[in-house]
């Protein structure tokens, strides 16, 4: 016999953020509390449709009584907490995160990251001139745990040639901040395909297919959900990549139109991005109750017939 317990009322928690009292439901994060107060806490590895992984640490805040800064995106709110989101210690930490990222990764197609860099006055040049890009495949062949000695006068980078091995999307891991979002979207947070994972250790850690095979030879089903969550443009529609290379990509001339995918009866919301009357890529809103921001290969890439 199943015993049904009456539903308990949702418990509210009271805390103090930057001197303001805020009340959030039990289970909310410090980021939720900050957003309830319209406090802009930067995030890179967080997404509303993915499990927090605490990889980037740009969202750290100061919590009274805690020895270290805590990641707002995953730290659960508790009653009585006193939080500071813009103290000198917080700003210094965020600045250092951006300096380390910007000295090692090409952020040119990551507008949010560039805005954070400017907001915190991060100077990536402190680490010296960037080291030369590695040759194609070189990073993939480094063994886990064996690090190449850094050249002390140069800032180590993840620069390397773009991987173009299919007609749908490219992978430019010289732009990868290792936020894990693509791995989560490919895995149990959305697609459950597990075509990609993090390989290697430390600075040599990188996103890889099984045995580093090209994407078409891997388990990838080309849903493009990894592109949908990538915050830096490391994963990009081939259409966008080619237009950028030709100098014709211009977001100021682009429109977005929500429609319903016509391929099956699920009814996924598809946002068509158009430039000069032509579709240039497709996405789905994160807050769609049907897709949660994710699509299949047909919704993501099957617009060529339009
Ligand atoms: S396209 Fe889909 S299946 Fe392929 S790597 Fe990306 S998320 Fe995984
Ligand atoms: S490819 Fe993009 S989504 Fe994947 S880890 Fe790198 S930056 Fe994050
Ligand atoms: S956004 Fe919180 S750790 Fe990355």
């Amino acid at each position: 016999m199943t015993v049904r317990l009456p539903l308990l009322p949702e418990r509210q928690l009271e805390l103090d953020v930057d001197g303001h009292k805020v009340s959030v439901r039990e289970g909310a994060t410090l980021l939720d509390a900050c957003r309830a107060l319209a406090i802009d806490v930067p995030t890179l590895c967080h997404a509303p449709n993915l499990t927090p992984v605490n990889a980037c640490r740009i969202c750290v805040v100061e919590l009274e009584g805690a020895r270290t800064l805590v990641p707002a995106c995953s730290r659960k709110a508790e009653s009585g907490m006193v939080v500071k989101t813009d103290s000198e210690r917080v700003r210094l930490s965020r600045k250092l995160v951006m300096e380390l990222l910007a000295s090692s990764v090409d952020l040119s197609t990551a507008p949010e990251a560039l805005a954070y860099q400017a907001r915190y006055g991060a100077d990536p040049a402190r680490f010296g001139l960037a080291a030369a890009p590695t040759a194609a495949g070189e990073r993939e062949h480094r063994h886990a745990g064996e690090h190449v000695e850094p050249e002390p006068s140069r800032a180590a980078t993840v620069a390397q040639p773009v991987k173009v091995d299919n007609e749908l999307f490219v992978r430019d891991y010289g732009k990868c901040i290792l936020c894990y979002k693509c791995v989560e979207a490919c895995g149990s947070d959305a697609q459950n395909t597990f075509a990609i994972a993090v390989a290697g250790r430390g600075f040599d850690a990188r996103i890889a297919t099984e045995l580093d095979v090209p994407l078409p030879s891997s388990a990838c089903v080309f849903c493009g959900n990894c592109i949908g969550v990538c915050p830096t443009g490391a994963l990009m529609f081939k259409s966008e990549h080619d237009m950028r290379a030709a100098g014709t990509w211009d977001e100021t001339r682009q429109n977005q139109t929500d429609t319903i995918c016509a391929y099956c009866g699920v009814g996924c919301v598809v946002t068509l991005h158009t430039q000069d009357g032509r579709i240039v890529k497709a996405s789905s809103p994160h807050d769609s109750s049907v897709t949660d921001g994710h699509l299949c290969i047909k919704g993501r890439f099957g617009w060529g017939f339009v």
Side-chain angles (χ1 to χ4, degrees):
M1 189 181 78
T2 308
V3 178
R4 295 194 188 280
L5 296 173
L7 283 178
L8 293 173
E10 208 170 58
R11 207 157 72 93
Q12 289 293 119
L13 309 169
E14 295 264 342
L15 55 158
D16 181 301
V17 181
D18 291 344
H20 305 286
K21 297 278 174 246
V22 61
S23 173
V24 292
R25 61 173 168 73
E26 191 170 21
T29 61
L30 293 182
L31 184 62
D32 295 327
C34 293
R35 288 184 173 167
L37 288 167
I39 294 171
D40 181 13
V41 172
T43 59
L44 286 172
C45 70
H46 170 269
N49 53 356
L50 299 175
T51 310
V53 287
N54 310 310
C56 75
R57 317 301 282 192
I58 192 73
C59 68
V60 287
V61 294
E62 203 167 341
L63 174 62
E64 200 173 276
R67 185 178 54 86
T68 58
L69 299 175
V70 300
C73 67
S74 60
R75 182 61 186 260
K76 292 275 190 282
E78 293 170 35
S79 269
M81 276 180 163
V82 179
V83 176
K84 291 191 189 123
T85 70
D86 201 33
S87 64
E88 196 182 336
R89 193 173 163 212
V90 166
R91 293 184 67 81
L92 182 65
S93 179
R94 291 179 184 166
K95 176 180 171 185
L96 189 61
V97 166
M98 285 317 306
E99 285 179 339
L100 291 170
L101 280 181
S103 70
S104 57
V105 176
D106 171 7
L107 297 177
S108 60
T109 52
E112 280 187 332
L114 290 174
Y116 299 152
Q117 195 183 323
R119 189 199 291 183
Y120 295 105
D123 176 17
R126 283 205 304 132
F127 297 97
L129 291 174
T134 54
E138 191 184 324
R139 279 178 67 80
E140 289 81 344
H141 292 118
R142 291 185 190 163
H143 294 294
E146 286 181 24
H147 298 274
V148 172
E149 272 307 305
E151 213 274 77
S153 65
R154 299 267 161 174
T157 77
V158 295
Q160 59 197 288
V162 185
K163 291 183 197 303
V164 186
D165 57 12
N166 67 85
E167 282 304 307
L168 299 183
F169 70 96
V170 303
R171 296 173 293 152
D172 185 351
Y173 290 129
K175 294 178 175 175
C176 176
I177 59 169
L178 218 61
C179 71
Y180 283 62
K181 280 176 163 175
C182 55
V183 177
E184 291 197 288
C186 190
S188 53
D189 274 0
Q191 188 58 28
N192 283 293
T193 291
F194 304 96
I196 46 177
V198 178
R201 293 290 180 273
F203 196 78
D204 291 339
R206 70 261 173 193
I207 304 296
T209 56
E210 67 274 17
L211 304 175
D212 290 321
V213 295
L215 215 47
S217 310
S218 75
C220 176
V221 296
F222 291 93
C223 60
N225 288 327
C226 50
I227 316 175
V229 295
C230 181
T232 63
L235 306 175
M236 189 179 276
F237 280 79
K238 177 109 179 349
S239 49
E240 177 175 346
H241 176 259
D242 290 349
M243 286 176 75
R244 282 182 185 273
T248 55
W249 183 260
D250 184 355
E251 284 176 17
T252 62
R253 285 170 26 218
Q254 290 179 12
N255 294 307
Q256 296 183 18
T257 310
D258 283 355
T259 183
I260 306 292
C261 179
Y263 277 108
C264 77
V266 173
C268 292
V269 181
V270 178
T271 304
L272 297 174
H273 300 242
T274 52
Q275 180 177 322
D276 303 331
R278 294 184 68 85
I279 301 171
V280 290
K281 67 176 183 181
S283 60
S284 185
H286 287 168
D287 58 359
S288 161
S289 59
V290 180
T291 67
D292 209 16
H294 306 299
L295 292 167
C296 74
I297 183 172
K298 292 175 282 184
R300 182 83 61 185
F301 297 108
W303 34 264
F305 70 93
V306 178

